[in-house]
Amino acid sequence: LAIDRQNIQLTYIKTYITLASVIIGAVLSAAIFFKVAQNGALSHPQTRTEIICLLFVGISLLTALAVFVCGVDLLRGREKRPLPFAKIKLSYVWVKENKHHFPSEEQLEVELLESLLQPVVDGIEDLLIIVARVGKRLRIMSLVLIISTFSGLIGFGIRIFSN
């Protein structure tokens, strides 16, 4: 279950990176188009409307870039956690080598099962903590993408309707 959540989160991260790239490309293309269409060349903003438009476009670009960087950071991962399978092998060997210490075969089986399952349970619990942490960052990235989209739309809306 935790691994499925992690795979779903990785899909969301890739989607957010793609959306951020599209927003950055669209905003830059539209900004260049509007400046070239207006003056025939790129120039400094001349009016208060152009400055406000540029401010919203800048917010859009910066927030989309922040989502892109955060997404790449989440994809590469930070925490190197060992897989629990090495512990499973060691515990299995230990129980088998020390089976003469157990009074019954039943108790040996219980100890063996517990020693085999505990590392897996620990690994799943660790992964759930990581998934919760990444989930919080995904919610923030989602909100920032919405801000980026709407600030770009507002900036270009002001530009279009000011003429």
Side-chain angles (χ1 to χ4, degrees), residues 2-3 12 16 18 20 26 35 39 44-45 49-50 63 68 75 95 100 120 131 138-139 148 155 162:
I3 292 175
Y12 281 130
Y16 289 172
T18 303
K35 282 308 279 182
N39 299 20
H44 296 293
T49 305
E50 287 181 4
T63 53
F68 183 85
L75 275 182
V95 170
H100 59 277
V120 174
V131 165
L138 278 171
R139 286 188 285 282
S148 177
S162 68

Side-chain angles (χ1 to χ4, degrees), residues 66-87:
V67 168
F68 183 85
V69 170
C70 185
V72 170
D73 183 48
L74 283 174
L75 275 182
R76 72 179 179 84
R78 288 189 183 168
E79 300 175 23
K80 303 237 183 228
R81 298 206 184 259
L83 294 174
F85 305 116
K87 293 179 188 175

Side-chain angles (χ1 to χ4, degrees), residues 10-157:
L10 289 174
T11 303
Y12 281 130
I13 293 168
K14 291 173 190 173
T15 302
Y16 289 172
I17 288 173
T18 303
L19 285 173
S21 300
V22 168
I23 290 170
I24 290 169
V27 168
L28 285 176
S29 298
I32 291 171
F33 171 76
F34 279 125
K35 282 308 279 182
V36 171
Q38 176 189 11
N39 299 20
L42 296 174
S43 62
H44 296 293
Q46 304 294 327
T47 65
R48 182 180 298 160
T49 305
E50 287 181 4
I51 293 172
I52 293 172
C53 173
L54 190 61
L55 177 69
F56 278 105
V57 168
I59 291 170
S60 179
L61 281 174
L62 289 176
T63 53
L65 185 62
V67 168
F68 183 85
V69 170
C70 185
V72 170
D73 183 48
L74 283 174
L75 275 182
R76 72 179 179 84
R78 288 189 183 168
E79 300 175 23
K80 303 237 183 228
R81 298 206 184 259
L83 294 174
F85 305 116
K87 293 179 188 175
I88 290 173
K89 185 176 180 183
L90 289 176
S91 60
Y92 176 78
V93 169
W94 180 87
V95 170
K96 282 297 189 184
E97 288 175 353
N98 295 297
K99 67 181 176 183
H100 59 277
H101 293 294
F102 298 99
S104 69
E105 187 71 26
E106 223 174 83
Q107 193 174 7
L108 173 66
E109 288 176 7
V110 168
E111 181 66 29
L112 181 61
L113 284 175
E114 285 178 357
S115 69
L116 291 175
L117 290 177
Q118 191 57 48
V120 174
V121 170
D122 292 343
I124 290 171
E125 287 174 354
D126 285 347
L127 193 56
L128 284 173
I129 292 169
I130 293 170
V131 165
R133 199 175 308 139
V134 170
K136 289 177 185 176
R137 289 182 72 183
L138 278 171
R139 286 188 285 282
I140 292 170
M141 287 170 61
S142 173
L143 180 63
V144 172
L145 272 175
I146 291 170
I147 291 169
S148 177
T149 302
F150 282 111
S151 63
L153 290 173
I154 289 170
F156 291 118

